[in-house]
Amino acid sequence: MKAQTASRIGVIGHGAVGSRVAADLAAGRVNGAVLAGIVVRGVLVDAPAPQLDLAQALEQCDLIVECAGQEALLAHGKAILCAGVDLLITSMGALADSRFLQSLEAAGPGRLFLTSGAIGGLDLLASGARSDGYDSVVVTTKKLPSSLLQPWMVQAQIDELTAATEPVEIFSGSARDAARLFPKSLNVAAAVAMAIGDWEVVSVRLIGDPTAELTEHVIEANGPSGEYCFVIRNKPSPENPRTSGVVPFSVLRSLESIVGVRGGLI
Ligand SMILES: NC(=O)c1ccc[n+]([C@@H]2O[C@H](COP(=O)([O-])OP(=O)(O)OC[C@H]3O[C@@H](n4cnc5c(N)ncnc54)[C@H](O)[C@@H]3O)[C@@H](O)[C@H]2O)c1
């Protein structure tokens, strides 16, 4: 096996996802990686590594993980890649903006990676897409209505959602609109669109279900390579009910696939 030095990792965001990612990196739980520092907007408290500003992170890191939201990705994504630093993202809903996606695809020499985040099956969906694309892909997401409230909603809609006693359809439309309108809740639709390399074929239904103890994603895809249906029911993160608790562990697994010195499932 080739000798390899550990990759220096920076984490942007220290909330439900970023704090667990940083803690596990600092504890040496990612083979081949060390935590260099953390970038947050305010003052970082109670963290396992120094706070860095973006310029320091670009100098000191081989790879930066975005765990901060679409706005942070829009603000920093291109600069990270252009500095020659690899970028692993969680907020892929930002890629619904096709001009932004093109700007990242044209940037480098840093490489852009997407974590599978809250869902699975992306490997098979991506494999099937290579055969001859899909005729239809539908992502149906069910969450607690309170976790789906958005600043752009009118009061009547907020009242309807807050008072709902049975499931209510909140959105039905394109993956692009879903990622834009529900930036913290429908990164999964963007992940599916990116996996299959086609935003136009993916449609999304979002259901607010007051009895939903688990966050549910059903991904149905039909095409020349076959018919696929993945059902995912995640426990919400105790720190942030909009985020599934498994997401930091997906990020850690993605990191290990990128920088790890051992082989394994990818
Ligand atoms: N791909 C997926 O399946 C999936 C699932 C859940 C969440 N996510 C993404 O992960 C993100 C983080 O989730 P979370 O639950 O940890 O959120 P959170 O609100 O708990 O934490 C967000 C953190 O990012 C920091 N932050 C926000 N804007 C920043 C900026 N511009 N620069 C630096 N730091 C900034 C905040 O201070 C906070 O520390 C979400 O916004 C969402 O986009 C993706």
Side-chain angles (χ1 to χ4, degrees):
M1 190 165 56
K2 280 185 284 181
Q4 192 173 331
T5 51
S7 295
R8 299 161 303 166
I9 310 296
V11 179
I12 306 184
H14 198 246
V17 178
S19 61
R20 183 62 200 241
V21 169
D24 276 29
L25 278 164
R29 293 197 194 105
V30 178
N31 183 37
V34 290
L35 179 63
I38 301 167
V39 179
V40 290
R41 257 200 303 224
V43 176
L44 184 66
V45 284
D46 204 15
Q51 179 165 2
L52 304 176
D53 63 27
L54 190 72
Q56 291 169 318
L58 295 182
E59 264 177 32
Q60 296 177 28
C61 299
D62 303 303
L63 184 151
I64 291 178
V65 192
E66 172 277 312
C67 308
Q70 291 190 15
E71 198 190 310
L73 177 59
L74 288 164
H76 305 310
K78 191 172 168 195
I80 293 170
L81 296 173
C82 288
V85 175
D86 289 340
L87 173 61
L88 171 63
I89 65 169
T90 65
S91 303
M92 53 285 261
L95 307 180
D97 176 343
S98 54
R99 279 174 49 191
F100 178 62
L101 175 57
Q102 279 163 18
S103 77
L104 290 192
E105 284 173 343
R111 299 169 298 166
L112 177 67
F113 296 97
L114 281 62
T115 185
S116 51
I119 54 173
L122 296 174
D123 49 354
L124 182 65
L125 289 173
S127 305
R130 281 180 174 256
S131 114
D132 212 2
Y134 290 100
D135 302 321
S136 81
V137 180
V138 181
V139 178
T140 306
T141 292
K142 213 184 267 183
K143 287 190 178 194
L144 280 178
S146 55
S147 72
L148 294 170
L149 300 176
Q150 301 297 324
W152 51 261
M153 287 178 170
V154 295
Q155 193 58 43
Q157 195 172 9
I158 292 171
D159 293 344
E160 186 197 1
L161 283 178
T162 315
T165 53
E166 50 189 58
V168 198
E169 183 174 278
I170 298 175
F171 171 85
S172 174
S174 71
R176 265 189 218 288
D177 285 346
R180 186 174 55 80
L181 293 171
F182 299 89
K184 294 183 181 168
S185 302
L186 285 174
N187 284 299
V188 292
V192 170
M194 289 299 295
I196 66 171
D198 183 350
W199 281 81
E200 309 314 322
V201 79
V202 182
S203 60
V204 176
R205 281 184 74 219
L206 180 59
I207 315 285
D209 181 352
T211 65
E213 286 176 16
L214 302 177
T215 295
E216 182 178 282
H217 305 287
V218 180
I219 304 162
E220 295 160 288
N222 292 305
S225 64
E227 296 180 4
Y228 308 120
C229 179
F230 302 97
V231 180
I232 295 119
R233 293 196 192 96
N234 282 319
K235 289 195 178 168
S237 159
E239 287 87 23
N240 180 359
R242 288 176 193 263
T243 290
S244 293
V246 76
V247 174
F249 304 103
S250 296
V251 172
L252 290 160
R253 204 191 74 80
S254 300
L255 265 179
E256 204 160 64
S257 302
I258 300 165
V259 305
V261 291
R262 280 198 293 260
L265 180 70
I266 54 167

